Amino acid sequence: MVTGETFLVDEDRQRIMDIYAPLSVDMETASIAHVYYVNRIPFIAVRCITDTAECSGIEYFEENSQKASRISRDITVALLEEMKTLLCPCAERRNDE
């Protein structure tokens, strides 16, 4: 993932692809993660891609937002369940009984 503070235009996109070959581009997560890092607060982000270089723009974003929201929700719930199991092994035993 690469991150930046502006929307990419075509000439920037190709330069970034040539240099970094990222799987995704993000504008917000790195800055939020940095604030948490500086303050020594644990941080994890769950992101879901709503548009691509080939299919970009507001129409793709709006079309894919609901699906992306469901995917992010499912990942978050699964992650929280896993964390609960790791942090409190007795919770898993209670669910199995």
Side-chain angles (χ1 to χ4, degrees):
M1 175 186 285
V2 294
T3 187
E5 57 188 32
T6 61
F7 285 102
L8 291 179
V9 293
D10 290 336
E11 57 270 8
D12 293 333
R13 180 176 286 117
Q14 190 56 54
R15 184 175 57 80
I16 289 171
M17 291 299 294
D18 292 343
I19 296 170
Y20 303 105
L23 298 175
S24 63
V25 177
D26 175 77
M27 288 179 57
E28 304 86 11
T29 309
S31 60
I32 297 167
H34 182 71
V35 170
Y36 278 79
Y37 174 78
V38 167
N39 289 288
R40 297 183 175 165
I41 300 170
F43 173 81
I44 190 168
V46 175
R47 300 299 303 237
C48 201
I49 297 172
T50 55
D51 59 337
T52 66
E54 294 80 26
C55 301
S56 64
I58 191 69
E59 64 276 2
Y60 291 100
F61 173 79
E62 289 177 354
E63 180 180 324
N64 293 323
S65 285
Q66 287 185 356
K67 182 177 180 183
S69 296
R70 286 191 301 273
I71 292 168
S72 293
R73 177 204 59 208
D74 293 346
I75 292 170
T76 301
V77 168
L79 180 61
L80 290 171
E81 287 295 324
E82 184 68 22
M83 289 173 64
K84 182 172 77 173
T85 301
L86 292 171
L87 296 174
C88 184
C90 59
E92 186 176 282
R93 272 197 304 258
R94 274 186 260 144
N95 290 336
D96 292 340
E97 295 173 356

